Amino acid sequence: MNKPGHSLDWVSRSLASVWHPCTQMKDHEAYPLIAITSGQGAWLQDDQGRRFIDAISSWWTNLFGHANPRINQAISEQLKRIEHVMLAGFTHQPVVELSERLSALTNGQLGHAFYASDGASAVEIALKMSHHFWKIQGKPNKKEFICLANSYHGETLGALGVTDVSVFRDAYGSLLNPVHIVMSPDSRAATDQVSSEEIIDLALKNLEECLAQHHQTIAALIIEPLVQCAGQMAMHAPRYVKGAKQLCKQYDVHLIADEIAVGCGRTGTFFACEQAGIWPDLMTLSKGISAGYLPLSICLSTDTIYSAFYSDDMSATFLHSHSYTGNPLACRAALAGLDIFQEDAVLEKNKVRSQSIQEAFAWTRDHASIEHIRQQGMIFAFDIKASAISKPGSFSKEMFQQGLQEGVLIRPIGRTVYVMPPYILSADEIQQMSRAIERSLHTVLQKS
């Protein structure tokens, strides 16, 4: 009989009682679960004592390492005051301070914060706010949305409705509202005949054609600025974001910037939109905003949108709520993270880390099986050529498993291998991460 806490004990109990996310549970007959017992810095440890570099920040959430002492202390101090109180009719210091500081980071352009618990919920809020705004303005027909091809914005029904990744969407398509899908500015579409700049021009032209034809019924365009993360880390230049904003303004349509994965410094600036020199009408944040500690998401809005709901008319009230909206512990974790950004000059230091990551992965440039090497800030990605993979359906799973054997946690998306690590990696850890991925890829491709 297994001792309490032994991996087989925890794994078997988990398989018997937990429905794991984004997982075909039958796969765990071939790919065993890993029981994680602790984390420290950029490393995770399982109950067998094995250690793994968390190269994907635990699904893109962890910014400053596991068990960060400064964030731990901030949460511990908050826990002594108040762990939670409803935000309807009440307020508290952490939620006020966080809202003020986020507004200040947008130079006051996005002045009001609405809170939820996860990224998809923040997207739902943005979609509902946009449509409700137009309804208040006497334009109730503006209830449709535009998204980019191969975009992902979450898996609740509204968020899934503006998602164009078939593996998520196909099973539930009959439940979803129609969406306008426009060309992605994905730089990988460039060829010897068509440059990446021309791809942006074509994508903007396609967007304008859609807006010209349908703007009277469209509420908003939603995009992930600079990187379509779940869309195989497809990247585009800031010029597309700037052009999209101009078109939205021209055709009286909101721009929703989904910065859930690309915000909080991932792309090199705190908000990805900063690189395009624009501010959206609505912005969603989650994942890194609480530094990977607690569920928290936020929809930031302009004063124009907020003011439309400020009314004696109950029908103009934004009737949306979550039980843990503005949770004090989560807000305190977010504030501690913002302190670290400021006190440690994180964005400046990440420029050096980004360069170190690029240099550590120099081996990808000469690898015969690799194409589309790309980087945006602290996100580095490359694709494996389809011709090099004999079993495409299992490639990502094999890379995940082999990565664990080599001491690195990665989770490829189809043929795309990427890293999105915490902002605390040392130069030596960056090298370890790269070498482990190189060895993993060599082993997996040899098996193909």
Side-chain angles (χ1 to χ4, degrees):
M1 184 173 179
N2 296 318
K3 297 179 180 179
H6 189 275
S7 63
L8 293 178
D9 185 53
W10 288 118
V11 167
S12 62
R13 288 163 63 181
S14 189
L15 291 173
S17 60
V18 180
W19 201 335
H20 291 262
C22 201
T23 298
Q24 170 48 258
M25 293 300 293
K26 196 172 190 298
D27 284 349
H28 285 306
E29 293 179 6
Y31 304 102
L33 284 170
I34 308 296
I36 296 297
T37 58
S38 63
Q40 188 67 50
W43 296 82
L44 295 166
Q45 182 168 310
D46 71 4
D47 59 352
Q48 300 299 299
R50 297 185 302 170
R51 298 172 74 237
F52 318 102
I53 295 178
D54 190 353
I56 59 169
S57 299
S58 292
W59 248 349
W60 319 342
T61 63
N62 190 286
L63 301 189
F64 305 114
H66 300 280
N68 183 288
R70 290 148 78 179
I71 302 174
N72 287 358
Q73 182 179 356
I75 293 173
S76 177
E77 290 175 355
Q78 181 60 44
L79 193 58
K80 297 172 185 176
R81 300 188 185 102
I82 179 68
E83 77 298 335
H84 182 66
V85 64
M86 65 181 182
L87 205 59
F90 294 89
T91 193
H92 51 80
Q93 181 179 350
V95 78
V96 172
E97 289 187 355
L98 180 57
S99 302
E100 290 174 343
R101 290 178 68 173
L102 289 174
S103 176
L105 286 169
T106 71
N107 299 321
Q109 296 299 306
L110 300 173
H112 297 272
F114 198 101
Y115 289 80
S117 302
D118 59 87
S121 295
V123 170
E124 298 281 334
I125 289 165
L127 299 175
K128 289 174 66 177
M129 274 186 182
S130 178
H131 169 57
H132 199 164
F133 171 90
W134 294 119
K135 189 175 182 180
I136 293 169
Q137 301 301 308
K139 299 179 180 180
N141 290 331
K142 289 175 78 69
K143 57 184 179 182
E144 299 172 1
F145 298 93
I146 305 175
C147 70
L148 299 183
N150 203 34
S151 61
Y152 173 90
H153 298 287
E155 293 160 44
T156 51
L157 289 181
L160 191 57
V162 290
T163 287
D164 183 46
V165 179
S166 59
V167 69
F168 297 109
R169 187 181 174 95
D170 286 354
Y172 311 105
S174 59
L175 298 174
L176 307 177
N177 290 324
V179 64
H180 300 275
I181 301 172
V182 296
M183 176 183 171
S184 168
D186 183 352
S187 61
R188 294 177 299 173
T191 65
D192 292 338
Q193 290 74 40
V194 183
S195 70
S196 58
E197 287 297 307
E198 289 172 315
I199 293 296
I200 290 176
D201 292 335
L202 291 169
L204 287 171
K205 180 181 179 181
N206 185 232
L207 172 60
E208 182 165 19
E209 289 169 349
C210 181
L211 287 168
Q213 185 175 356
H214 302 290
H215 67 275
Q216 292 182 343
T217 58
I218 290 173
L221 162 70
I222 183 169
I223 62 172
E224 278 185 290
L226 305 187
V227 187
Q228 293 176 252
C229 291
Q232 299 90 46
M233 299 295 164
M235 298 184 185
H236 55 263
R239 186 167 70 85
Y240 178 82
V241 181
K242 185 174 184 178
K245 172 64 177 179
Q246 291 171 341
L247 289 171
C248 286
K249 184 176 182 179
Q250 177 183 341
Y251 286 96
D252 205 19
V253 164
H254 290 146
L255 175 63
I256 301 171
D258 177 353
E259 296 226 8
I260 289 164
V262 299
C264 302
R266 282 292 178 197
T267 64
T269 47
F270 191 84
F271 299 115
C273 282
E274 293 178 66
Q275 296 181 47
I278 65 100
W279 295 108
D281 301 285
L282 296 159
M283 178 188 287
T284 58
L285 297 169
S286 190
K287 293 192 180 292
I289 193 60
S290 68
Y293 265 74
L294 290 161
L296 180 68
S297 65
I298 305 165
C299 179
L300 299 175
S301 75
T302 61
D303 290 346
T304 299
I305 290 177
Y306 173 81
S307 296
F309 291 86
Y310 199 89
S311 172
D312 293 324
D313 185 352
M314 189 63 181
S315 67
T317 304
F318 188 60
L319 293 172
H320 188 102
S321 60
H322 295 262
S323 298
Y324 285 92
T325 292
N327 173 260
L329 295 174
C331 290
R332 184 56 66 191
L335 287 166
L338 293 182
D339 288 342
I340 293 173
F341 268 107
Q342 184 175 357
E343 295 166 8
D344 292 6
V346 170
L347 294 177
E348 285 300 311
K349 291 178 180 177
N350 276 358
K351 293 178 182 179
V352 177
R353 288 191 185 94
S354 297
Q355 184 63 34
S356 296
I357 289 171
Q358 183 182 86
E359 293 169 358
F361 280 90
W363 59 268
T364 60
R365 296 195 289 269
D366 300 318
H367 199 294
S369 298
I370 289 175
E371 61 184 355
H372 303 311
I373 302 164
R374 53 202 184 274
Q375 184 175 17
Q376 182 65 56
M378 289 293 288
I379 306 172
F380 182 91
F382 56 90
D383 296 345
I384 308 305
K385 294 177 181 178
S387 59
I389 303 173
S390 60
K391 298 178 181 178
S394 63
F395 172 77
S396 62
K397 298 171 188 173
E398 294 293 337
M399 277 293 291
F400 170 77
Q401 291 293 323
Q402 190 59 42
L404 295 177
Q405 296 300 314
E406 297 290 350
V408 63
L409 169 57
I410 54 173
R411 192 179 170 94
I413 305 170
R415 294 188 291 117
T416 297
V417 179
Y418 72 92
V419 296
M420 196 187 291
Y423 304 159
I424 58 165
L425 287 185
S426 67
D428 182 60
E429 287 171 328
I430 290 171
Q431 289 291 337
Q432 289 183 63
M433 175 179 69
S434 174
R435 289 194 296 267
I437 292 172
E438 183 179 15
R439 291 193 299 268
S440 299
L441 181 62
H442 178 74
T443 300
V444 170
L445 291 182
Q446 276 197 323
K447 294 179 181 178
S448 295

